Amino acid sequence: MLALGWGLAACGSEPRQGPRSPAPPEFAGSAAAAAGAPWAEESSSPRWAAPGPLQPAACSRYEAALVAAARALAERRAERAAPWEISEIVAQLRAQGSPLVWPRVWSLEGEGLDQARIEASLAAWLEASPSGGQLRCGIAQARSSDGRDVVVAVSVDALADLDPLPVRTRLGQWLRLRARLLAPARAAEIVLLGPRGAPRSVPTELRPGEARAVFSLDQMGLWRIQLVLDTDVGPRPALEAWAFVDVEPNSDEAAAPAPGESLADSLPEADAGALLDMLNAARRSERRPPLRRDARLDELAQAHAEAMRQSRRTAHDVGDGSPVQRLERAGFDARRVGENVAHARSLGRAHRALWESPAHRGNLLDSGFATVGLGVVVVPEGVAEADTERGGADATGVWVCELFAN
């Protein structure tokens, strides 16, 4: 899964009680959940790795966690195993102590791939990658038992590096976060997302070239600690670390279904109506009023979901403008705007991806939003698969846009 949140919302936090469900079977196959695989003691970056035979000019450096993720993905594709979603790749990065965010995946496979062909396809993909920080990569190759060559690249646009932050911590323990910035930023904010409730921000100091904060965590379980920078293209997550408070790091905490996700199994279709039911169920779990759909917002959200599917990119601007620009063009007068977008193998998993991210859950639970527009595009397996001859990202699955306005 890949999800992005546009706009930061200030929300309160109210506890939600209820049992946790076990991790789904597809997550159990990830490296983060592999039997006996130890979790890193600290989250930090960078952790450099030596480049392999492929060394595209666009990649400034190679990160060990990205190389490991690329290797695991290449081996899975060679074995024709189900590919991981982005959320599962992120879990692998976190288990290795990597705070890098927004990983992108490219793959190319076929018989008798020559080096020039691989390099040209990979270079074209990297040139279209987001820019603003340092483009860091992991590249791996594998060969299947039937002789197919598989090449996988995982890249991130690194906006900051993180000084060591503990993965295991205690209730109420003070944590000191220091991030070294790799891109210009007008403001910085540390956002904390706990096992329950809405995200909350902590006072963050922005100095020349770095951001700092001191905070403690007040619930047992998994916390996501995210640094958000206000850049030239708007707010962007720059780093994310996971901290386990008074529990051992484990995949069940990281893969718990979101409130409302269970509705996906009982709803007849993966459409905007089903998404609204899940969204409002999540809001009820935190005692927030339900949202109502707006036909004009629906039209804009559906158009953006289609645009993401066409471009095979999960972003707030895929050539059609930012959320604010799209509303202004449509003549929609809004005091506040927020947007969540996601791509996943199912509507339920897209909903979970949004719930697991601080910025997205902030939009989902923001009491200041009363209306929402929903766009859903479903691409069945095999209908629009990636062109394995030229390389690229898979378009199959569900593309989601939630456009909030007030």
Side-chain angles (χ1 to χ4, degrees):
M1 292 173 287
L2 179 63
L4 310 175
W6 190 91
L8 298 177
C11 304
S13 177
E14 299 176 9
R16 174 175 58 86
Q17 303 297 330
R20 283 193 170 276
S21 301
E26 62 267 24
F27 189 87
S30 76
W39 284 68
E41 292 297 321
E42 297 175 328
S43 297
S44 66
S45 65
R47 298 180 180 182
W48 303 125
L54 284 173
Q55 300 181 37
C59 290
S60 61
R61 300 295 291 271
Y62 295 81
E63 286 264 0
L66 299 180
V67 172
R71 184 181 302 117
L73 288 166
E75 291 171 355
R76 288 183 68 83
R77 293 191 76 93
E79 296 167 359
R80 297 190 185 277
W84 288 336
E85 291 189 351
I86 292 296
S87 65
E88 294 163 327
I89 297 171
V90 168
Q92 184 191 33
L93 298 181
R94 301 295 174 263
Q96 296 179 70
S98 173
L100 299 174
V101 296
W102 287 11
R104 300 176 68 243
V105 178
W106 167 94
S107 65
L108 177 67
E109 57 186 278
E111 295 184 8
L113 296 178
D114 61 75
Q115 194 78 359
R117 184 178 174 189
I118 295 171
E119 290 175 353
S121 178
L122 178 55
W125 177 75
L126 289 171
E127 287 175 4
S129 298
S131 60
Q134 291 183 1
L135 185 63
R136 297 179 182 174
C137 304
I139 304 173
Q141 298 175 267
R143 175 164 291 184
S144 68
S145 58
D146 59 2
R148 286 181 304 113
D149 294 315
V150 179
V151 188
V152 171
V154 182
S155 74
V156 299
D157 184 30
L159 301 182
D161 279 323
L162 180 67
D163 282 3
L165 195 70
V167 170
R168 294 170 176 83
T169 186
R170 300 185 305 278
L171 199 66
Q173 176 183 344
W174 289 104
L175 301 176
R176 298 179 182 275
L177 183 149
R178 177 176 177 266
R180 287 155 286 119
L181 307 188
L182 304 172
R186 292 183 291 265
E189 183 178 36
I190 300 297
V191 183
L192 308 179
L193 184 66
R196 297 172 298 278
R200 62 183 173 90
S201 299
V202 298
T204 306
E205 180 183 10
L206 180 62
R207 299 182 178 183
E210 68 177 38
R212 296 189 179 198
V214 179
F215 53 88
S216 63
L217 307 176
D218 58 6
Q219 295 180 39
M220 293 177 58
L222 169 61
W223 285 77
R224 293 171 170 87
I225 303 165
Q226 192 174 88
L227 169 65
V228 179
L229 298 179
D230 185 10
T231 70
D232 291 339
V233 294
R236 283 186 59 184
L239 294 170
E240 185 178 284
W242 287 5
F244 291 83
V245 178
D246 288 334
V247 297
E248 281 298 302
N250 66 90
S251 59
D252 285 354
E253 292 282 336
E261 184 180 338
S262 60
L263 293 174
D265 297 331
S266 59
L267 296 169
E269 292 186 58
D271 58 12
L275 183 60
L276 180 68
D277 289 344
M278 288 189 282
L279 196 162
N280 279 332
R283 286 174 68 90
R284 282 195 302 273
S285 75
E286 297 293 338
R287 299 194 287 277
R288 301 298 196 274
L291 293 169
R292 66 179 185 275
R293 289 175 66 182
D294 181 288
R296 296 172 297 167
L297 294 177
D298 275 348
E299 184 177 350
L300 293 172
Q302 186 65 30
H304 188 63
E306 291 279 2
M308 290 192 298
R309 194 264 301 175
Q310 290 286 347
S311 66
R312 297 183 178 183
R313 286 197 300 125
T314 312
H316 298 291
D317 186 348
V318 289
D320 55 348
S322 71
V324 169
Q325 290 170 333
R326 284 181 263 128
L327 263 68
E328 288 177 346
R329 286 201 305 267
F332 194 104
D333 185 19
R335 295 188 302 274
R336 297 179 64 238
V337 179
E339 180 175 81
N340 291 344
V341 294
H343 176 217
R345 71 169 65 103
S346 69
L347 191 64
R349 295 301 295 270
H351 175 65
R352 185 191 304 181
L354 299 174
W355 181 258
E356 289 176 343
S357 171
H360 316 94
R361 193 187 298 184
N363 284 336
L364 284 171
L365 297 181
D366 191 333
S367 297
F369 289 132
T371 57
V372 66
L374 301 172
V376 176
V377 177
V378 180
V379 183
E381 187 89 21
V383 171
E385 294 178 345
D387 183 348
T388 58
E389 290 299 311
R390 64 177 174 82
D394 194 353
T396 60
V398 179
W399 299 84
V400 165
C401 176
E402 300 174 343
L403 185 57
F404 306 86
N406 194 30

